[in-house]
Amino acid sequence: MNKVIYQYDSLENNYKRYLNQKNNPHTSENGEQLKAKNIIVQYVRTSTKDDKGRQEIDLDSGSKIEFFRDGILIEGSWEKQNGKFIYFNSEGEEIEINPGQTWIQIVPNQTKVSY
């Protein structure tokens, strides 16, 4: 399993992606480092559905999020409305997503994320 690391670059106002350690940039096939304007850690309920360990992932019930944008963390929640994920801050206001690449990391509720 790979550990994903994002490092905020204030000059470019984006998050650079690394695998396992900060000296290992995650690159595309053409060698460019992957970057995103928004990182959303979307927590979901999971359960083991069979003896092979495959997971059932609940993408309908909503839960908490950690939304990284412009070098800041916005804690909040997500809901699924009309087949679309909507993200809210802790005051219940919809979060505006920066134009550009967005990475959504869907993780089990019990996952510990460091930042």
Side-chain angles (χ1 to χ4, degrees):
M1 180 182 291
N2 286 318
K3 176 181 176 184
V4 176
I5 301 167
Y6 293 99
Q7 179 73 44
Y8 180 65
D9 181 335
S10 61
L11 296 176
E12 294 184 17
N13 190 30
N14 64 28
Y15 296 86
K16 294 180 178 179
R17 185 178 164 109
Y18 299 85
L19 290 178
N20 299 318
Q21 51 195 358
K22 286 187 182 176
N23 66 353
N24 187 28
H26 190 179
T27 58
S28 64
E29 290 179 5
N30 66 8
E32 290 185 38
Q33 185 169 14
L34 299 178
K35 302 173 188 174
K37 290 288 187 180
N38 310 280
I39 306 295
I40 302 169
V41 180
Q42 184 171 331
Y43 292 86
V44 297
R45 279 189 286 226
T46 61
S47 60
T48 303
K49 69 179 187 176
D50 61 25
D51 60 356
K52 295 189 184 333
R54 291 183 282 199
Q55 297 292 295
E56 186 74 39
I57 301 172
D58 181 355
L59 294 174
D60 295 314
S61 298
S63 190
K64 70 177 187 169
I65 60 160
E66 293 168 338
F67 193 115
F68 298 86
R69 181 190 74 192
D70 302 326
I72 61 170
L73 165 65
I74 302 168
E75 295 181 305
S77 61
W78 67 271
E79 294 178 11
K80 191 170 185 181
Q81 298 176 2
N82 300 316
K84 180 180 173 185
F85 294 124
I86 309 294
Y87 302 102
F88 300 96
N89 63 23
S90 59
E91 287 80 41
E93 303 163 327
E94 189 171 343
I95 299 171
E96 184 175 328
I97 298 174
N98 280 341
Q101 186 78 34
T102 298
W103 283 76
I104 301 172
Q105 302 291 156
I106 295 180
V107 300
N109 279 332
Q110 64 273 18
T111 301
K112 302 291 182 206
V113 175
S114 304
Y115 46 90

